[in-house]
Amino acid sequence: MIKQVLQPMENLFKAGIMDKIFLDGAESSPVAKNKGANWKVPIIIAYLITASIAATLFYMYINLQTQLSQSAAELNEIKEKVSSIDFEKIQKNQKGLQEDNMLAKLQHEIEGGVVTNDFVVQKIKLYFLDGKMSGTIDLSAQPELTVKYNGQGKFDIQDRELKGMIEDILKEVSKVYADLPLGRFPSWDKTEFKITVKNYEVATYTNSSLKLKGE
């Protein structure tokens, strides 16, 4: 816009028309006739001031255009970087971290904290994948039951009695598990666990059903 306004004036200066207008006007004025050659001084000063203002405005215009071009280029670069960000992947990773933190906290509460008269949960490992919860629950026998432990996951008691003891400890585990937000994690009756004693498998728990090894 500024360039369009100044262009006609610039063309007049280039063509010498403005010089002629200034000079002709000055020569015909009464002041010039009275003061002789002194009339040229204010004309030259006015000419220089006008040229200086025009040059300054033109420089400001060019500088503004350059800044606008740079800003537009930077904005396009930012848009390209933003468009390349996979926000869905970031949200998925964030969700995964939140779930891992919840499971880690749950495991910490259960290990050594869930007990019955027969067993203590020595260690629990949870795996949440594709909407399914699975894992391993390692049990340690209480002193009264330890004397009946023969090693390698075998006890000197009836299977029915052992099964009842394991079911009791699993009920206590399920109470802590209930602290997890359902909907995000499956309910307890839809989980799958391998039950071990000193890392020896003794039973499996699948969809609310407990089955001793060898059954």
Side-chain angles (χ1 to χ4, degrees):
M1 178 64 70
I2 296 176
K3 186 176 180 180
Q4 293 174 351
V5 173
L6 296 177
Q7 190 65 47
M9 183 180 292
E10 183 181 354
N11 294 335
L12 291 176
F13 281 126
K14 290 181 179 179
I17 296 175
M18 289 300 294
D19 292 341
K20 180 173 176 42
I21 292 173
F22 280 127
L23 294 175
D24 290 348
E27 290 175 354
S28 61
S29 66
V31 176
K33 293 179 180 180
N34 293 333
K35 296 189 180 241
N38 290 335
W39 66 268
K40 292 183 179 181
V41 175
I43 296 300
I44 293 173
I45 293 175
Y47 176 85
L48 292 175
I49 292 175
T50 302
S52 176
I53 294 174
T56 301
L57 292 175
F58 182 72
Y59 172 78
M60 292 174 61
Y61 170 79
I62 294 299
N63 189 45
L64 179 60
Q65 290 296 318
T66 301
Q67 292 179 359
L68 290 175
S69 298
Q70 292 176 348
S71 298
E74 292 174 357
L75 181 59
N76 289 333
E77 184 178 354
I78 293 174
K79 288 181 178 179
E80 290 178 0
K81 290 181 179 180
V82 171
S83 62
S84 64
I85 297 176
D86 191 344
F87 289 102
E88 184 176 350
K89 183 178 180 180
I90 293 175
Q91 291 177 347
K92 185 176 180 179
N93 291 339
Q94 185 178 17
K95 181 181 178 181
L97 290 174
Q98 291 175 345
E99 291 171 349
D100 290 343
N101 289 335
M102 290 181 185
L103 295 183
K105 181 180 179 181
L106 181 69
Q107 290 174 176
H108 179 71
E109 291 179 359
I110 292 175
E111 291 176 352
V114 175
V115 300
T116 62
N117 293 332
D118 304 302
F119 287 109
V120 176
V121 176
Q122 186 69 27
K123 190 174 182 179
I124 181 171
K125 187 64 178 177
L126 302 173
Y127 302 96
F128 183 60
L129 184 62
D130 296 330
K132 295 181 179 180
M133 182 70 74
S134 61
T136 300
I137 301 176
D138 188 59
L139 303 177
S140 177
Q142 293 279 35
E144 291 184 4
L145 184 60
T146 300
V147 296
K148 299 180 181 180
Y149 181 61
N150 298 328
Q152 297 183 344
K154 297 179 180 179
F155 290 87
D156 189 17
I157 56 177
Q158 297 292 323
D159 286 350
R160 184 175 63 181
E161 186 178 2
L162 176 61
K163 192 171 184 179
M165 293 177 179
I166 296 175
E167 287 176 341
D168 288 341
I169 192 75
L170 290 182
K171 287 179 182 178
E172 297 303 315
V173 173
S174 69
K175 293 177 182 178
V176 183
Y177 181 89
D179 291 336
L180 287 175
L182 296 181
R184 188 174 216 174
F185 297 97
S187 58
W188 174 256
D189 58 0
K190 294 182 180 179
T191 60
E192 297 181 3
F193 287 99
K194 181 171 66 173
I195 314 301
T196 63
V197 174
K198 297 186 181 298
N199 296 319
Y200 287 97
E201 183 177 345
V202 295
T204 55
Y205 177 82
T206 305
N207 297 329
S208 300
S209 176
L210 180 68
K211 183 178 181 180
L212 294 179
K213 185 179 179 180
E215 280 188 331

